[in-house]
Each structure stands twice: as C-alpha cells, then as structure tokens.
Amino acid sequence: MDYFPQPVLGVETSCDETSVAVLYRREVLSNVVSSQAQLHKRWGGIVPEAAARKHTEAFLPVLEQALDEAGVTMDDIGGVGVTNRPGLIGALSVGVSAAKAVAFARGLPFVGVHHLEAHVLSPLLEEDVPFPHVCLLVSGGHTELFFVRSPGVYEYLGGTLDDAAGEAFDKSARALGLPYPGGPAIQKAAEGGDPERYPLPRGLEDPTMEFSFSGLKTAVLRLVQRLGDRLDVASAAASFQSVVASVLTDRALYACSVVGVSHLTVVGGVAANRALRERLLQQAEEERVSVTIPSLRLCTDNAAMIAHVASWRLASGERAGYDLETLAVDSLGRR
Ligand code: KG4
Ligand code: ZN
C-alpha cells in the first residue's frame, strides 16, 4: 500500500467513541480516543441522540489533544479522512461535518472511510500482513468473516444471522447483572469461574461460516431466571465466554480452510477478549494458521485505523466532495 506523503488527520465518530488521530505514512503519531461508555452505562446500551450530542462536545478538545500529542499543528496536515459509513447517523454526521469544516477551512483533500474496511486493514498498521488472508471482524455491531484478497478487494464469507458477538457480550452481561460494556465486564467476572459448569448452546451446527448468538443470549437469561441467587455468576460468565471463544475460533479457522489461506487476522472490540485470543492462538497453531491480532488500542474503535485507510486512498487519488453523505447501513464485500 502506498501512503499519502503528508500527515493525515483521521476522524471517527460512528458509535460511542470520539476519536482523532494523526498518521504519517504508516506511523501513528497520535490516536486519541474519548469513550462515552460511562455516559451510556446508565442506560445499559448506546442511546443514539446522547451519543451525537457527546461527539459535538468532545470533538474539538479531542482534535486539539491529537495535534498536541503528535507534535504537529494544522499547518502540517496534508489530508483528512472521516468515517462516513456505516454507523449511527447522528453520530456519523458530527464527525463528517467536523471533517468537512476542517478540510474546507484549510483547503485540504479529504475522503470518506468505510468503518469496516478500516477495521479489516488495521493490522497493517503494526505488521506486514500477507495477502490474501481471512479477517474475522468481531465488534459491538458486527460479526463477519471476510476473504481479504488485497487492500480494497474483500469477499464476504459469512456473518451473524442475529446478534453480533459484542452485542451478545453486552446483553448477556446485562442479564448477569454486570455493567456495560459487557465484554470487559464478562472477562473480569469470568476469572475464577468454571467454564464447564453451565453447558450453553453454540447456535448453529458446525462446520459453518455463519454465526447465531441469540439462542446463547436467551440461554444465559433462562439460567439467571431459573437459578436466581443460586447462580454462580463467575461460572456463568466463564461458560458464556468459552462458548463464544470456541465458536469464533472454529468458524474463523474453518473459513481459512475453505478459501485455502494460512493467515488470519482478528479485529474489532471483541478481539480484545483474552479467552478468545488464547484459544485462537493455540488452535491456529495446531492447524498451521498464523494469526495477527492488533494491539488493544487498534482493536476497539479508533481514528488511527480511519487515517490509515484515508492515507492510502488519498495517495491513490481519491477525493470526496463537500456533499459527502453518511450511511447507516453499508455492507462490505457482498455481491
Ligand atoms: O469495535 P468496538 O469498539 O465498537 C464497535 O464498532 O462495535 O467494539 C465494542 C464491543 C462491545 O460490544 C464490547 O463489549 C466488546 O467490543 N468488547 C469486548 C472486550 N472489550 C470490548 N468483548 C469481549 N471481551 C473484551 N475484553
Ligand atoms: Zn468498530
């Protein structure tokens, strides 16, 4: 991939993280993320209106901090990239309007970035990942497997038929009386729990490249209703986490065997999960598949991955107009 010869500003506001990053070629000069998790905690999930308002408040301070940490001023920035799809429309609009304003005021070229493509290519910020490879994208809104032929050429292999993996973490955590966001809460609660104590359903029969988590989520809820105070929350969390880790691992490695590649990347917020990482690395080694999982700050939503795609697209001559739109839904690699 060729990169833009000047520092690129990345902007991400598609969900509940306000993030601005400065990237110089492949080097992350800064990647400031202001999470709204505390705000949405009280509602147990993301409230779109509140998210949009919070982005408006956070944007300029986050921008200032990103420039400061990178040791640059706006004079050094050569281009701008912003997530414009898919995501919460109100939230996306804040970032897109802000990016347009910056580009207009400074006369800079800018591009709209697909949030999922940014996740898919994020491992390249840290490593020379071989192409083609398979990417497992697991986040709060997505659980998808892609055949990544080359940068920009993606084929959708399979995905969730109902809830996303992160969503299953969030909803099951809620059922277990654990706080939002559910992923880190379940991971913590599962420490010391017995992952085999409560047998839980895997959703679909293997082998498959599809996922279904709604049955698992319901099973956790039933467990809570049936056992009440007698429920061992640590073991319920561990049992849930173990099923998710096993399902994700088996299906990602199955996808590798179907398309015949021996490299897998795992991206998105759920890739932060320790049980998943351990299981994947172990099983992949047995199946002679090499795995890249980016560091935590690149797994969860961040603007460095947006600036990364922007820098490459700007270098290839792509330019957006001031009428760049936002899209709530936009799939990647589907025919
Ligand atoms: O990629 P991300 O930051 O935002 C989206 O684009 O959705 O992913 C957020 C999701 C949430 O559902 C959160 O519960 C989950 O990632 N998550 C985790 C962990 N850390 C975050 N899930 C499992 N284990 C974790 N350690
Ligand atoms: Zn994301």
Side-chain angles (χ1 to χ4, degrees):
M1 281 164 79
D2 289 332
Y3 293 102
F4 201 60
Q6 284 166 283
V8 170
L9 193 75
V11 176
E12 157 64 41
T13 63
S14 68
C15 193
D16 65 341
E17 262 98 29
T18 313
S19 181
V20 178
V22 180
L23 192 79
Y24 179 55
R25 295 188 180 274
R26 208 164 70 159
E27 189 188 346
V28 180
L29 300 184
S30 66
N31 186 20
V32 178
V33 181
S34 166
S35 173
Q36 305 177 357
Q38 277 309 109
L39 170 74
H40 299 289
K41 218 172 202 161
R42 70 181 93 157
W43 299 298
I46 296 163
V47 176
E49 283 275 306
R53 185 164 67 179
K54 197 72 190 166
H55 284 309
T56 324
E57 287 170 26
F59 182 76
L60 285 174
V62 168
L63 169 63
E64 268 195 313
Q65 195 185 333
L67 293 170
D68 268 7
E69 285 183 15
V72 301
T73 69
M74 277 308 300
D75 291 341
D76 301 307
I77 302 295
V80 181
V82 57
T83 310
N84 72 321
R85 65 199 196 278
L88 303 169
I89 282 294
L92 284 169
S93 300
V94 176
V96 169
S97 303
K100 282 179 185 173
V102 168
F104 181 74
R106 311 292 306 196
L108 296 172
F110 78 109
V111 287
V113 173
H114 195 297
H115 184 83
L116 303 189
E117 178 174 42
H119 272 302
V120 168
L121 295 180
S122 66
L124 290 154
L125 277 167
E126 294 178 331
E127 256 183 60
D128 289 319
V129 179
F131 290 93
H133 61 259
V134 166
C135 176
L136 170 66
L137 167 60
V138 269
S139 69
H142 295 273
T143 300
E144 281 158 20
L145 280 163
F146 297 103
F147 180 30
V148 186
R149 287 187 182 273
S150 59
V153 186
Y154 317 102
E155 278 171 39
Y156 175 86
L157 296 172
T160 183
L161 305 177
D162 39 59
D163 293 346
E167 198 178 350
F169 267 100
D170 295 336
K171 289 178 177 170
S172 300
R174 197 173 179 170
L176 291 169
L178 298 169
Y180 173 87
I186 286 190
Q187 176 168 307
K188 188 149 189 292
E191 286 167 18
D194 172 7
E196 282 170 22
R197 171 120 188 226
Y198 301 112
L200 293 167
R202 290 170 63 85
L204 304 170
E205 232 172 85
D206 290 279
T208 172
M209 294 189 282
E210 310 281 5
F211 305 84
S212 168
F213 292 110
S214 72
L216 173 60
K217 171 192 70 185
T218 309
V220 171
L221 193 60
R222 290 270 148 75
L223 210 56
V224 174
Q225 287 165 343
R226 188 157 52 83
L227 296 178
D229 288 348
R230 286 178 291 127
L231 180 74
D232 169 5
V233 174
S235 294
S239 302
F240 167 85
Q241 182 175 256
S242 152
V243 169
V244 176
S246 158
V247 161
L248 293 176
T249 298
D250 290 350
R251 293 176 192 168
L253 291 174
Y254 175 62
C256 289
S257 73
V258 168
V259 295
V261 301
S262 57
H263 195 83
L264 172 71
T265 63
V266 189
V267 300
V270 180
N273 188 265
R274 213 177 310 128
L276 172 63
R277 284 176 179 243
E278 282 166 12
R279 177 149 200 145
L280 246 172
L281 292 176
Q282 190 198 333
Q283 214 165 305
E285 196 182 323
E286 286 163 18
E287 298 185 27
R288 297 183 190 284
V289 169
S290 53
V291 181
T292 306
I293 308 177
S295 53
L296 242 52
R297 70 193 179 94
L298 291 178
C299 276
T300 48
D301 284 353
N302 68 89
M305 67 179 189
I306 306 302
H308 178 232
V309 170
S311 178
W312 161 57
R313 291 199 172 273
L314 286 167
S316 64
E318 188 177 317
R319 300 289 183 268
Y322 291 128
D323 59 349
L324 176 73
E325 57 179 3
T326 53
L327 296 172
V329 182
D330 190 24
S331 60
L332 189 73
R334 290 214 208 204
R335 261 172 271 163

